Amino acid sequence: MQLITLVSCIAAVVFQLAIPSVCATAVIPPYVYDYAPLVWLHSEDPYRPSDLQAQLDNTTPEVNWQPIQGAPSPVTLDNLDQLNHLGNTSVYLTSHKGIATRPQPAWLRGVTPDAQGRAGNIIACAIVVVDHGEGNVDAFYFYFYAYNKGDKVLGLEFGDHIGDWEHNMVRFANGAPQALWYSQHASGQAFTYQAVEKQGKRPLSYSGNGTHANYAIAGQHDHTIPGINLPTGFLLDYTDRGVLWDPTLNAWAYTYDVGTKVFTPSSPEIPVAWLDFNGQWGDDQPPGEPSIFGEAEYVAGPNGPKFKVLNRSLVCPSTPCIVLPFKIWAA
């Protein structure tokens, strides 16, 4: 599909034909890459950045734990949005062997970045640029992992799920970075650009061991209270300088028009339909899954980037929004 699209776009230009809408491309400002975050993956985290297509190859779209009749075969990043008409938000990309399979399938563990920060040849990041006009631009950096290993509380583990989307967002004014958002579970934290640790001029993000929540510093983080990063508590994430990942080396880039809600790729061979998928990127919560105080070990997979409040008036996706100006350095 990608090759056919590319050939048709080239032919339209060469023979001066009407250019199909699928050939539209976006211009990504250079500063989006110049100030893109670098991610420190935890040294002991076995769940590394994962390939988007591999997630589709190892799952079956289901609704209520039943395979969807009439689903495209194979499911690809070019046709994933077709599932919106076959179940919409009730669609789950259900793993072939199930979330509780032991030993776990190798594909859940992703790819460890090399010394240059590249995780092989996979696509595990989507850069989405939102231009609000008058020089105000938000650049989202979405990171994908095939598996999320939850936290332990009193020896019990909660919140494991297949498929994991996390992100940073950098807000720019006339090409200069102003502030960053770090996604953390159901909430997150915002900081001024000046406050965060950087490598050169690129901000650093520390990924939680197993959970992949993003933090501005290394160490121990309690997220019992959403958006409040305390050094200790009941729900703890752990970050360190394990393996450095440069997500831009494993990324596709797009713009997003908040008026039309249209994603436009930076190159015609880049698939875009997957960004319009309304379903979930993992299994549904298993039937009869036991829970304690409403929390279960295995929970449903997440939805994708389009649901992460791309049209933001504030740096945070919700209010109140506190952008911390504190100088923060790695432990």
Side-chain angles (χ1 to χ4, degrees):
M1 174 65 87
Q2 294 178 36
L3 179 59
I4 294 173
T5 299
L6 179 59
V7 170
S8 65
C9 293
I10 293 174
V13 173
V14 171
F15 296 104
Q16 298 183 342
L17 304 173
I19 298 178
S21 59
V22 293
C23 301
T25 57
V27 176
I28 306 298
Y31 57 78
V32 169
Y33 294 99
D34 294 341
Y35 295 97
L38 295 167
V39 179
W40 278 109
L41 304 172
H42 193 277
S43 58
E44 298 179 1
D45 188 356
Y47 303 106
R48 302 302 196 186
S50 303
D51 186 59
L52 297 176
Q53 182 59 49
Q55 194 78 1
L56 306 187
D57 294 341
N58 289 282
T59 59
T60 296
E62 296 185 350
V63 173
N64 294 326
W65 295 96
Q66 296 299 316
I68 297 174
Q69 299 300 311
S73 181
V75 178
T76 70
L77 297 168
D78 280 307
N79 62 28
L80 187 61
D81 62 331
Q82 294 179 26
L83 298 175
N84 294 348
H85 305 293
L86 299 170
N88 203 20
T89 58
S90 297
V91 175
Y92 287 83
L93 300 179
T94 306
S95 57
H96 294 159
K97 294 187 176 181
I99 190 172
T101 298
R102 297 294 183 271
Q104 287 185 323
W107 65 274
L108 291 176
R109 297 180 178 268
V111 178
T112 298
D114 60 22
Q116 286 69 50
R118 180 188 294 274
N121 294 318
I122 68 172
I123 297 299
C125 173
I127 300 172
V128 179
V129 178
V130 182
D131 190 340
H132 296 286
E134 300 182 349
N136 299 308
V137 171
D138 289 341
F140 292 82
Y141 305 85
F142 290 101
Y143 316 130
F144 184 71
Y145 307 86
Y147 194 82
N148 176 101
K149 187 173 179 61
D151 293 318
K152 286 190 175 181
V153 179
L154 301 177
L156 301 175
E157 188 165 296
F158 299 96
D160 291 16
H161 56 83
I162 290 180
D164 190 17
W165 282 105
E166 299 291 346
H167 71 278
N168 287 119
M169 187 268 271
V170 181
R171 172 155 290 183
F172 295 91
N174 299 314
Q178 305 298 305
L180 286 87
W181 172 255
Y182 291 76
S183 71
Q184 301 162 2
H185 305 284
S187 186
Q189 291 180 293
F191 298 90
T192 64
Y193 172 75
Q194 289 74 18
V196 301
E197 184 188 3
K198 293 172 278 288
Q199 181 169 299
K201 55 186 178 182
R202 296 182 66 176
L204 295 178
S205 183
Y206 290 84
S207 178
N209 184 13
T211 72
H212 309 121
N214 294 291
Y215 296 92
I217 57 174
Q220 184 171 281
H221 313 270
D222 175 64
H223 57 91
T224 303
I225 304 174
I228 303 297
N229 181 4
L230 299 175
T232 189
F234 289 102
L235 292 173
L236 294 175
D237 274 335
Y238 302 90
T239 62
D240 68 10
R241 286 175 171 252
V243 178
L244 189 62
W245 179 37
D246 182 350
T248 67
L249 301 179
N250 299 100
W252 283 326
Y254 306 81
T255 58
Y256 177 73
D257 187 298
V258 298
T260 62
K261 298 183 179 180
V262 169
F263 294 94
T264 303
S266 61
S267 181
E269 75 274 10
I270 296 176
V272 67
W274 67 272
L275 282 165
D276 287 312
F277 174 52
N278 290 337
Q280 321 300 314
W281 284 77
D283 295 23
D284 196 355
Q285 183 166 319
E289 174 71 8
S291 63
I292 300 176
F293 303 115
E295 300 294 332
E297 178 177 2
Y298 299 122
V299 298
N303 51 25
K306 68 180 289 187
F307 294 93
K308 309 309 180 187
V309 192
L310 297 178
N311 184 19
R312 299 185 187 182
S313 57
L314 304 174
V315 178
C316 316
S318 61
T319 57
C321 183
I322 301 173
V323 182
L324 296 173
F326 309 133
K327 293 291 184 181
I328 294 177
W329 307 100

